[in-house]
Amino acid sequence: FFFFLSGAPRDAPLSFCILTPLAVLPLFAKMMKQLKMAKDMQKAMQQGGPMGALNAMMGPTPPRKEGYLTKLGHGSGKWQKRYFTLDDTGLSYSAAPGQKEKGKLHIDGSTVCEPVDAGCEVGDDALAPSARPKQHVPEYAFKVTSVWKGHGRRTFFIAASTAQECDAWVEAIRLLIEGLPNVNPHQRDPGAAGGMGMMGGMGAMMGGMMGGGAAAASAPPPTAAAATPA
């Protein structure tokens, strides 16, 4: 493989055959890094749309708020204790601080966050088709509804331990929402090529990068028509 990359002839000296492939290693490592970045951005694009891809490209941001809350399990219908982190890219959760992320709800200007009453009804967008709530919604709960995996919307039901903690989380999420554009694909102008112009072009570029491999990753993104946020 390295002989192919380096173009070394078959009758080349031994030193040339050894050193030339070594010189190609940085280029190969860079190519693999770019492919991983493209794969990560495609995953973020699928989960959070163009805003998710932009956030992945920008990298991690300092948490706005973090701490333990309980959430309604999408598949189990049970209330589960999770460690939540709110940053500029969305609301993520894990089993404990520093552990692997279990899920993430990307947030944009179309996201809705509001407190709910204890025992309120849980909609179909909060549970898997075969799941049913095992317990009623507890006190000090709120819900967050946003775009999910690039299509449709999902609602997270989350509960705090006190009314003050619930209010603080709702306020922090709403402050984040107010500073973000609306890139919900279901609310875009059908005649606009990618609701935010540049964001739509980047979305098309992500699909091309993963569909065509490394060669497609270096191709320029398709031109998107100018559009204003919905």
Side-chain angles (χ1 to χ4, degrees):
F1 175 73
F2 287 117
F3 281 105
F4 172 76
L5 285 178
S6 62
R10 295 192 177 189
D11 57 349
L14 179 60
S15 60
F16 181 86
C17 295
I18 294 175
L19 294 177
T20 302
L22 291 177
V24 179
L25 280 174
L27 177 62
F28 179 73
K30 184 177 180 181
M31 181 180 70
M32 296 304 296
K33 184 178 180 180
Q34 290 175 340
L35 287 174
K36 182 181 183 302
M37 184 183 299
K39 184 177 180 180
D40 291 343
M41 291 180 70
Q42 185 201 35
K43 180 179 179 182
M45 182 79 181
Q46 291 173 342
Q47 293 181 342
M51 184 57 67
L54 178 60
N55 290 332
M57 189 166 60
M58 293 173 63
T61 59
R64 289 172 172 249
K65 189 171 180 59
E66 55 187 331
Y68 280 103
L69 299 166
T70 56
K71 66 176 285 291
L72 181 62
H74 181 255
S76 67
K78 298 179 181 180
W79 287 87
Q80 306 160 329
K81 186 177 181 180
R82 295 288 183 259
Y83 191 83
F84 281 82
T85 301
L86 176 69
D87 60 23
D88 291 347
T89 68
L91 185 65
S92 60
Y93 57 92
S94 58
Q99 293 194 7
K100 182 180 179 181
E101 181 180 291
K102 284 182 170 291
K104 183 167 190 174
L105 186 66
H106 290 271
I107 292 176
D108 65 24
S110 73
T111 302
V112 177
C113 177
E114 56 189 0
V116 297
D117 296 328
C120 70
E121 183 180 354
V122 175
D124 294 339
D125 60 347
L127 295 167
S130 59
R132 294 293 181 271
K134 301 296 190 299
Q135 298 96 15
H136 294 299
V137 175
E139 289 185 311
Y140 319 131
F142 61 95
K143 65 179 182 179
V144 186
T145 303
S146 192
V147 63
W148 181 249
K149 295 189 175 180
H151 57 83
R153 295 177 73 78
R154 178 175 164 184
T155 297
F156 276 59
F157 277 83
I158 304 169
S161 57
T162 66
Q164 293 79 6
E165 186 182 15
C166 176
D167 292 342
W169 274 97
V170 171
E171 181 181 4
I173 295 172
R174 284 178 171 175
L175 283 174
L176 174 59
I177 294 170
E178 291 172 2
L180 294 174
N182 180 353
V183 294
N184 178 7
H186 295 280
Q187 294 183 8
R188 292 177 186 154
D189 179 3
M196 292 178 63
M198 181 183 72
M199 303 303 296
M202 187 176 67
M205 180 181 69
M206 290 303 99
M209 288 171 70
M210 295 311 299
S218 61
T223 303
T228 56

